[in-house]
Amino acid sequence: MPAPISGLLGRLTRTAREFSVAQRTLAVIGVAVLLLGGLALSAWLSKPTMAPLFANLSASDASAIVDQLTSKGVSYQLTDGGSTIMVPANQVYQLRLSAAAAGLPTGSDGGGYSLLDSMGMTSSEFQQQVTYQRALEGELAKTIAAIDGVTTASVHLALPEKSVFVSTTSDPTASVFVKTAPGATLGADQVQSIVHLVSAGIENMKPSDVSVVDAAGHVLSAVGGEGGSVLQNGQVSDYEARVQDSVQQMLDTVLGPGNAVVSVTADLNFDQTQRTTESYSAPSPTLPPINSSTTVEDYAGNGQVVGGVLGQTGAVTTPSTGTGSATGTGTGTATGTGSSGTYHKESATVNNPLNKVTEKMVTAPGTVRRQSVSVIVSDKLTGLNLTDLQTSIAAAAGVDTTRGDVVSVTQMPFDTTAAAQAQQALAAADKQATADRQTELVKTGAIAGVVLISLILLIVMGMRRSRQTRREAIDLGDLQLLEAAKAEALEAAGEARALPQAPVVPDSKRDDVLAMAAEQPAEVAEVLRGWLTAGRS
């Protein structure tokens, strides 16, 4: 080992041995704090920035990608219940390309159009139809699962079988199961988007033939276009909240915050009606007939009567000869005579143009059947015109008196006890939080101060020990030089007497001389120089 390093280690060892128990304890604590801080800092600096490699992965895809990362020695983290994989940000694109080259992720747990890739050439028509239906269900489920708030989706289709022997077929239907993330709910717009997404993806499927059910068993959309009670309650709550917020913002601006309370109750009509009306009218100006037809029938006889009437004796009696006539009006005329047997009939049919209007009206559910708005104003506000205020509230809430809407504005005292208690509780919580932060700061400062003072003491004691060691190593040589210089000075002066033996210097005085030589080197050198000069003269 080199001499400087061995000397440094030796001085550190001697310094540590001279420490007391308290000093050694502080030294160990300080060294441990420095080591731990250095390790934490190095770990934090060496930790890479993580970025998502893939998200919303199935269990099989996540397992395959993790195996690939492990084989390559890449560090990773799993989040979102194992569906998201985090990797170092500087390797994201390279790892994505590697995963794509390996066919990962597959996109689902075996569903979707990937089922058609593994279909054999010898598959029957039934197998092909079932596989195609499963592929449609898988693709729709994946698309629905990509909606915000939806974690899992499952689609079941009921597709009628096509046949040339059936003139009419039933309409296809679909049922959708969705599982939302914790704390997330699907709004009316999201439910309608799921319904239209499924109906548009299946041939001849109507939006009213799609049913949507959530994980709690609530029917969000039923077959026939009727929404479930949960969806209806959500629409009512949204309408009431929208009207209440509008009126509340207006009153807060006019009366000031906390001086008015608004409550809205609405009754919505979810009945869906359909009406078809047909009306006819004559065109103006008059138009010629679309088509017309005339029929004429004529008949002429020779006047001879054929046959007779059988009498009592069995003889045939010939009727007497006479004449007669008949005339008709309307669509035709007919005439005839008994002697000649002539017949004439004439009829006409005319189709005149008419205007035909067919109107089909479908009333969408969700219209307001009746609503009531109740407003209470604090009695601390004076000089209010409640009539004008009621008119403004009715206009802001869209009140229609013809359908039975009601607006009530009342002025009464407010109970501020709960608000005062809540204010006091918030103030106490803020005060306690401030005190806790101050206590933490004091504790942290005290610990940092103890560590800093320990380090300073260690540094000061180390410097003192090293300085004392340096003094002993230097000053002993100076004393020997001093003795030799004094002997030379006496010999030069020609003194023949023997030099008396130098007295033994006590350790305390020796330490004083050494300390003086270390603290005042210039003065000591001047004294030595004076001794040498006096001895030579």
Side-chain angles (χ1 to χ4, degrees), residues 46-219:
S46 61
K47 184 178 181 180
T49 304
M50 308 299 285
L53 179 63
F54 294 106
N56 297 326
L57 294 172
S58 62
S60 57
D61 288 341
S63 176
I65 294 175
V66 166
D67 292 341
Q68 186 183 27
L69 296 177
T70 304
S71 62
K72 292 183 178 181
V74 179
S75 60
Y76 63 89
Q77 295 178 356
L78 297 177
T79 58
D80 296 337
S83 61
T84 301
I85 300 178
M86 308 288 290
V87 296
N90 56 353
Q91 302 181 13
V92 170
Y93 301 108
Q94 180 181 359
L95 294 175
R96 284 180 182 175
L97 293 176
S98 300
L104 297 173
T106 59
S108 67
D109 45 0
Y113 288 129
S114 59
L115 294 174
L116 302 178
D117 298 335
S118 58
M119 185 181 299
M121 297 180 60
T122 59
S123 300
S124 63
E125 183 179 357
F126 175 76
Q127 291 177 336
Q128 294 176 1
Q129 181 64 27
V130 172
T131 305
Y132 176 70
Q133 182 172 337
R134 289 180 57 195
L136 286 178
E137 293 174 349
E139 290 295 327
L140 290 173
K142 288 193 298 181
T143 306
I144 295 172
I147 298 176
D148 292 339
V150 179
T151 58
T152 305
S154 178
V155 179
H156 301 278
L157 301 177
L159 303 179
E161 184 179 358
K162 296 181 181 180
S163 176
V164 296
F165 302 102
V166 179
S167 59
T168 59
T169 58
S170 59
D171 295 332
T173 59
S175 59
V176 181
F177 170 82
V178 292
K179 181 180 179 181
T180 58
T185 57
L186 294 180
D189 295 339
Q190 291 177 309
V191 174
Q192 291 299 320
S193 65
I194 293 175
V195 169
H196 289 284
L197 175 66
V198 175
S199 62
I202 304 299
E203 184 180 1
N204 298 328
M205 180 176 288
K206 301 176 183 178
S208 59
D209 293 333
V210 179
S211 174
V212 181
V213 182
D214 64 0
H218 298 147
V219 179

Side-chain angles (χ1 to χ4, degrees), residues 47 63 199 220 255 297-298 335 353 395 432:
K47 184 178 181 180
S63 176
S199 62
L220 304 181
L255 306 179
E297 295 182 5
D298 290 323
T335 60
Q432 183 64 31

Side-chain angles (χ1 to χ4, degrees), residues 74-443:
V74 179
S75 60
Y76 63 89
Q77 295 178 356
L78 297 177
T79 58
D80 296 337
S83 61
T84 301
I85 300 178
M86 308 288 290
V87 296
N90 56 353
Q91 302 181 13
V92 170
Y93 301 108
Q94 180 181 359
L95 294 175
R96 284 180 182 175
L97 293 176
S98 300
L104 297 173
T106 59
S108 67
D109 45 0
Y113 288 129
S114 59
L115 294 174
L116 302 178
D117 298 335
S118 58
M119 185 181 299
M121 297 180 60
T122 59
S123 300
S124 63
E125 183 179 357
F126 175 76
Q127 291 177 336
Q128 294 176 1
Q129 181 64 27
V130 172
T131 305
Y132 176 70
Q133 182 172 337
R134 289 180 57 195
L136 286 178
E137 293 174 349
E139 290 295 327
L140 290 173
K142 288 193 298 181
T143 306
I144 295 172
I147 298 176
D148 292 339
V150 179
T151 58
T152 305
S154 178
V155 179
H156 301 278
L157 301 177
L159 303 179
E161 184 179 358
K162 296 181 181 180
S163 176
V164 296
F165 302 102
V166 179
S167 59
T168 59
T169 58
S170 59
D171 295 332
T173 59
S175 59
V176 181
F177 170 82
V178 292
K179 181 180 179 181
T180 58
T185 57
L186 294 180
D189 295 339
Q190 291 177 309
V191 174
Q192 291 299 320
S193 65
I194 293 175
V195 169
H196 289 284
L197 175 66
V198 175
S199 62
I202 304 299
E203 184 180 1
N204 298 328
M205 180 176 288
K206 301 176 183 178
S208 59
D209 293 333
V210 179
S211 174
V212 181
V213 182
D214 64 0
H218 298 147
V219 179
L220 304 181
S221 178
V223 175
E226 299 178 358
S229 59
V230 176
L231 183 59
Q232 294 178 3
N233 294 335
Q235 291 179 353
V236 173
S237 301
D238 292 343
Y239 176 80
E240 292 176 349
R242 184 171 64 253
V243 176
Q244 181 175 343
D245 292 342
S246 177
V247 177
Q248 188 69 55
Q249 289 178 4
M250 182 189 69
L251 294 178
D252 290 343
T253 305
V254 176
L255 306 179
N259 291 322
V261 179
V262 182
S263 178
V264 178
T265 303
D267 182 14
L268 302 185
N269 184 9
F270 292 98
D271 297 335
Q272 185 176 4
T273 60
Q274 182 176 350
R275 179 184 301 172
T276 303
T277 305
E278 292 184 359
S279 60
Y280 300 88
S281 62
S284 178
T286 305
L287 300 176
I290 299 175
N291 53 48
S292 62
S293 62
T294 302
T295 303
V296 178
E297 295 182 5
D298 290 323
Y299 174 77
N302 54 10
Q304 181 179 0
V305 179
V306 179
V309 179
L310 183 63
Q312 294 179 355
T313 60
V316 178
T317 302
T318 302
S320 60
T321 304
T323 61
S325 65
T327 304
T329 60
T331 58
T333 59
T335 60
T337 60
S339 60
S340 62
T342 62
Y343 174 78
H344 176 79
K345 180 180 178 181
E346 183 177 348
S347 63
T349 302
V350 179
N351 293 326
N352 294 317
L354 294 176
N355 293 333
K356 179 181 178 182
V357 177
T358 302
E359 182 180 1
K360 185 176 181 181
M361 181 181 298
V362 178
T363 303
T367 58
V368 180
R369 181 181 297 166
R370 184 177 179 275
Q371 69 173 349
S372 60
V373 181
S374 176
V375 178
I376 300 178
V377 183
S378 176
D379 62 344
K380 295 181 180 180
L381 301 176
T382 58
L384 291 179
N385 190 339
L386 297 183
T387 304
D388 295 341
L389 186 61
Q390 182 174 354
T391 303
S392 301
I393 293 172
V399 173
D400 186 2
T401 57
T402 58
R403 65 187 179 193
D405 294 352
V406 178
V407 178
S408 174
V409 179
T410 309
Q411 193 170 13
M412 60 179 61
F414 283 7
D415 184 9
T416 59
T417 304
Q421 293 177 355
Q423 190 70 22
Q424 293 176 0
L426 290 175
D430 293 341
K431 185 176 180 181
Q432 183 64 31
T434 303
D436 294 341
R437 287 195 298 269
Q438 292 179 354
T439 303
E440 292 294 332
L441 291 175
V442 170
K443 290 181 180 179

Side-chain angles (χ1 to χ4, degrees), residues 449-490:
V450 170
V451 174
L452 183 61
I453 292 173
S454 301
L455 293 177
I456 293 174
L457 291 176
L458 290 174
I459 294 173
V460 170
M461 288 186 294
M463 293 178 62
R464 292 184 62 182
R465 296 296 181 182
S466 61
R467 186 172 60 185
Q468 290 178 2
T469 304
R470 187 172 61 252
R471 286 184 202 158
E472 293 177 0
I474 296 174
D475 292 344
L476 289 176
D478 291 341
L479 290 176
Q480 294 176 359
L481 292 175
L482 181 60
E483 293 291 340
K486 188 174 181 181
E488 292 178 358
L490 293 176

